[in-house]
Amino acid sequence: MSETVTRTRKSKTSTQKRILDAAETLFAREGFEQTSLRQITQEANVNLASVNYHFGSKKALIQAVVARYMNVFMPALEAELKQLDERPSIDSLAVFESFKAPLVSLTQVHKRGTEHFLRLLGFAYSETQGHLRRYTQSAFGDVLQHLLALLHRANPKLTEQDMFWRLHFVLGATVFAQVSGQALIEIAQAEFDEDADIQTVIDHLIVFIAGGLDSQLDG
Amino acid sequence: MSETVTRTRKSKTSTQKRILDAAETLFAREGFEQTSLRQITQEANVNLASVNYHFGSKKALIQAVVARYMNVFMPALEAELKQLDERPSIDSLAVFESFKAPLVSLTQVHKRGTEHFLRLLGFAYSETQGHLRRYTQSAFGDVLQHLLALLHRANPKLTEQDMFWRLHFVLGATVFAQVSGQALIEIAQAEFDEDADIQTVIDHLIVFIAGGLDSQLDG
DNA sequence: GCATATTTTAAACATGCGTTTAATTTAATT
DNA sequence: AATTAAATTAAACGCATGTTTAAAATATGC
């Protein structure tokens, strides 16, 4: 029973964690490609070279930042979906409600975890980060399949193909809302004096995507 | 006449136009920030320095590329909207129908003008191109206001703020469909043996966004 | 046809990037 | 305490970027 020794004497948090935290904040604010390692290491108060020492490359760091969230979010989502399996009938709104708790649970990763996660997701799609999509698909593809099946069950009039397309449009609208959320908030403020925040954007978004998903305007 | 002074012997099109065309194609494919001036000038077969000579800076070039489309699209859209003003009653679908002709008219700028324009729009939003947003807002804000008013008229139960948000989600879903359209087509083919093309994507998209816009699931 | 203005060109500049190196410091093991 | 392993550090590397310069080529106006 060898005891793993505490190394927490000098720096109260490990170098890895400080890098991850700083990287996450900056990635969520500016995007992956627009954030430099020098920004990250300065924000984290660590040496520039330590990123490559601990993570190997910037690409690997990006993956580590995203994985930290995926490993919390996806199992939480899967648990919620399992509960929906038990229910005799469901609708699209119920399916999307099941995102709520997993999203909130991300605050255990970071204080602003929910917001960060959604924005990271947005950049992962809008920037050319193919490796991220491949990783997510291979690591959590079964959860996404589960989600698709439930949405199909909620809307049996639509074919699975229909659901496939609409789910991706939902993703597109969501991603867009996150990435350009701040821009929209500023426009809304200038245009309507509306005192909006991220939560306002999400509230409007949910109504929109639920309506889009259930659209029965033939096809 | 010994030598006719046409400049179309060596370079059949002007340097400015060749830069604009090359920049547009590359911007639409990779995004603004991910495209370098060296890529552009190589593709255009012009000297590197000529971009800064003719346009002043990369930022100004981006603006020029986008402006070339906006100056065609926005007046065309405004003309369509004016026609809608005459009609006694309209619905959301009719408003979106009015986008069709202006979008098609963009082929006069470039063969693949419609696709390019939508993708440029997407990058303009998702990348941090605040100057582009400010330009569009100040140059064509009245047209967008007109559009918003018509959508409000088509859906009087919703506030103008509601319409503002939904309109932008529509934009997000549309842009996403453009950006990842080919990827989705391939996934659909592998997953459902669906023989989809761009038109299929658009057909699904229109149903989705119309449903989202008209969503009455309270708020 | 000559002088003038415009455009094109090759080269360099300054800056920032991700990554690597090699020496030093710190921690762990014996 | 001595030795070994792990982590940190400052510096440099190689490369790519947008921009500027100053000379050469071309077109324009009188």
Side-chain angles (χ1 to χ4, degrees):
Chain A
M1 58 184 86
S2 59
E3 53 274 284
T4 51
V5 195
T6 66
R7 66 158 61 82
T8 57
R9 224 177 50 85
K10 184 196 167 186
S11 58
K12 52 184 175 185
T13 55
S14 74
T15 301
Q16 275 109 324
K17 185 171 188 327
R18 304 176 74 186
I19 292 174
L20 282 174
D21 288 339
E24 171 191 321
T25 301
L26 290 168
F27 285 158
R29 188 190 303 154
E30 318 249 8
F32 299 113
E33 321 229 349
Q34 302 235 44
T35 302
S36 72
L37 295 184
R38 282 168 177 83
Q39 283 179 268
I40 293 170
T41 52
Q42 188 173 339
E43 174 86 13
N45 270 312
V46 300
N47 187 272
L48 168 64
S50 57
V51 170
N52 283 283
Y53 176 79
H54 286 290
F55 296 93
S57 67
K58 184 184 180 182
K59 196 185 263 189
L61 173 63
I62 293 174
Q63 202 143 318
V65 168
V66 173
R68 195 162 63 146
Y69 277 105
M70 285 293 182
N71 289 330
V72 174
F73 177 77
M74 285 296 184
L77 176 62
E78 176 60 26
E80 296 283 329
L81 297 184
K82 276 216 179 77
Q83 288 190 3
L84 284 187
D85 285 336
E86 313 296 324
R87 304 217 333 224
S89 83
I90 52 175
D91 58 2
S92 298
L93 210 60
V95 178
F96 282 109
E97 292 280 334
S98 67
F99 275 75
K100 235 175 148 177
L103 282 174
V104 170
S105 78
L106 298 178
T107 53
Q108 75 189 55
V109 178
H110 188 284
K111 199 175 180 179
R112 310 184 60 179
T114 305
E115 177 191 347
H116 284 184
F117 174 68
L118 288 175
R119 286 186 60 90
L120 292 176
L121 218 59
F123 287 121
Y125 261 88
S126 58
E127 294 182 18
T128 315
Q129 301 285 347
H131 63 107
L132 272 185
R133 286 236 329 257
R134 266 176 268 120
Y135 153 76
T136 308
Q137 190 67 28
S138 79
F140 304 105
D142 49 340
V143 181
L144 301 178
Q145 284 285 11
H146 194 175
L147 171 65
L148 203 58
L150 276 172
L151 281 174
H152 182 45
R153 221 190 102 203
N155 245 317
K157 285 184 184 171
L158 299 179
T159 68
E160 233 177 291
Q161 282 97 319
D162 285 332
M163 258 312 159
F164 167 82
W165 292 108
R166 295 189 185 187
L167 180 59
H168 280 90
F169 295 146
V170 165
L171 187 60
T174 306
V175 156
F176 180 84
Q178 282 303 318
V179 171
S180 48
Q182 197 52 45
L184 295 185
I185 287 171
E186 286 164 14
I187 297 175
Q189 205 122 26
E191 202 93 358
F192 305 110
D193 287 324
E194 186 174 49
D195 211 12
D197 58 3
I198 286 287
Q199 191 56 49
T200 309
V201 183
I202 293 180
D203 289 341
H204 280 96
L205 175 66
I206 285 179
V207 177
F208 176 82
I209 64 182
L213 258 194
D214 292 343
S215 177
Q216 303 285 346
L217 307 176
D218 108 297
Chain B
M1 46 160 57
S2 50
E3 63 268 325
T4 50
V5 267
T6 66
R7 72 153 61 85
T8 58
R9 234 172 55 87
K10 185 196 168 186
S11 59
K12 52 184 174 186
T13 55
S14 76
T15 300
Q16 275 111 323
K17 185 170 188 328
R18 304 176 74 187
I19 292 174
L20 282 173
D21 287 340
E24 172 192 321
T25 301
L26 290 168
F27 285 158
R29 188 190 302 155
E30 318 248 9
F32 299 114
E33 322 229 349
Q34 302 237 43
T35 302
S36 71
L37 294 185
R38 282 169 178 81
Q39 283 179 267
I40 293 170
T41 52
Q42 188 171 340
E43 175 86 12
N45 270 311
V46 301
N47 187 272
L48 168 64
S50 57
V51 170
N52 282 282
Y53 176 77
H54 285 290
F55 296 94
S57 67
K58 185 184 180 181
K59 197 184 262 188
L61 172 63
I62 293 173
Q63 203 143 318
V65 168
V66 173
R68 195 163 60 146
Y69 277 104
M70 286 295 183
N71 289 329
V72 175
F73 177 78
M74 285 297 184
L77 177 62
E78 176 61 26
E80 296 284 329
L81 297 184
K82 275 217 178 78
Q83 289 191 1
L84 284 187
D85 286 334
E86 312 296 326
R87 305 222 327 226
S89 83
I90 53 174
D91 58 3
S92 298
L93 210 60
V95 177
F96 281 109
E97 291 281 335
S98 67
F99 275 76
K100 236 176 149 180
L103 281 174
V104 169
S105 78
L106 299 178
T107 53
Q108 75 189 55
V109 177
H110 188 284
K111 199 175 180 180
R112 309 184 61 178
T114 305
E115 177 192 346
H116 284 183
F117 174 67
L118 288 175
R119 287 182 59 93
L120 292 176
L121 219 60
F123 287 121
Y125 263 88
S126 57
E127 295 181 16
T128 314
Q129 301 285 348
H131 63 108
L132 270 186
R133 284 211 343 265
R134 265 175 269 121
Y135 153 75
T136 307
Q137 192 67 28
S138 77
F140 303 106
D142 50 339
V143 181
L144 301 177
Q145 284 285 11
H146 193 175
L147 169 66
L148 211 56
L150 276 172
L151 282 173
H152 182 43
R153 219 189 104 204
N155 243 317
K157 286 184 182 172
L158 299 178
T159 69
E160 233 178 291
Q161 280 99 320
D162 284 332
M163 261 309 161
F164 167 82
W165 293 107
R166 295 188 186 188
L167 179 60
H168 281 90
F169 297 146
V170 165
L171 185 59
T174 305
V175 159
F176 182 82
Q178 281 297 325
V179 169
S180 47
Q182 196 53 43
L184 293 185
I185 287 171
E186 285 161 15
I187 297 175
Q189 203 123 29
E191 202 97 355
F192 305 111
D193 286 325
E194 188 175 47
D195 211 13
D197 59 3
I198 287 287
Q199 191 55 49
T200 310
V201 183
I202 293 180
D203 289 342
H204 280 96
L205 175 66
I206 286 179
V207 177
F208 176 82
I209 62 180
L213 256 194
D214 292 344
S215 178
Q216 303 285 349
L217 307 176
D218 109 296

